[in-house]
Amino acid sequence: QVQLVESGGGSVQAGGSLRLSCAASRSTYSRKDDIDPMAWFRQAPGREREGVAVIGTSTGSTYYADSVKGRFTISQDNAGNTVYLQMNNLKPEDTAMYYCAARDPMSNLWAGRLHATSYNYWGQGTQVTVSS
């Protein structure tokens, strides 16, 4: 079993920056390489959950939604236990609850890198509010 805990959300003005962190912890008997990839999603009130960025935990490859490309950067620590989302030039439309997600590579569910149903584990979320 994998637990994900997000941190780093807050309130900023448009043009500002925030860095989100997602710490992954595993039960004693979890398999090695048990999550791949990891991703950040966001959900604004009244809207569907939207994939923002993805990182392959084994390859380090990254993928971004068009709406954040060039402004957001996803990265991971060397141990693969923490994933970060550096968000620059934030806009009011970036306001949302941000969720960390991870996929069990043994899972049969796959709807695409930025689709929520592809992921098995979710954090509780951290709020990001951008004011104009």
Side-chain angles (χ1 to χ4, degrees):
Q1 190 68 19
V2 175
Q3 292 80 43
L4 304 175
V5 179
E6 304 97 335
S7 62
S11 298
V12 295
Q13 290 190 329
S17 299
L18 283 173
R19 188 192 197 204
L20 307 183
S21 298
C22 172
S25 61
R26 299 158 172 82
S27 61
T28 305
Y29 300 105
S30 292
R31 305 189 313 272
K32 184 181 180 182
D33 303 326
D34 53 3
I35 50 175
D36 192 5
M38 293 185 70
W40 287 96
F41 285 75
R42 66 186 181 186
Q43 188 167 20
R47 303 190 64 177
E48 291 188 356
R49 193 164 294 191
E50 171 193 21
V52 172
V54 182
I55 186 165
T57 54
S58 56
T59 65
S61 61
T62 58
Y63 186 79
Y64 298 92
D66 288 342
S67 58
V68 305
K69 203 171 293 183
R71 300 188 297 123
F72 290 12
T73 303
I74 189 171
S75 61
Q76 62 182 351
D77 67 353
N78 290 335
N81 292 324
T82 304
V83 170
Y84 306 96
L85 186 68
Q86 178 67 44
M87 305 184 294
N88 297 328
N89 191 21
L90 282 161
K91 304 176 181 180
E93 51 264 43
D94 294 318
T95 295
M97 185 71 79
Y98 282 70
Y99 297 91
C100 179
R103 181 175 184 270
D104 182 342
M106 301 296 290
S107 172
N108 292 324
L109 296 175
W110 183 248
R113 285 172 287 189
L114 293 179
H115 203 287
T117 57
S118 300
Y119 294 84
N120 306 92
Y121 306 109
W122 292 88
Q124 294 300 308
T126 184
Q127 178 68 36
V128 171
T129 302
V130 185
S131 58
S132 57

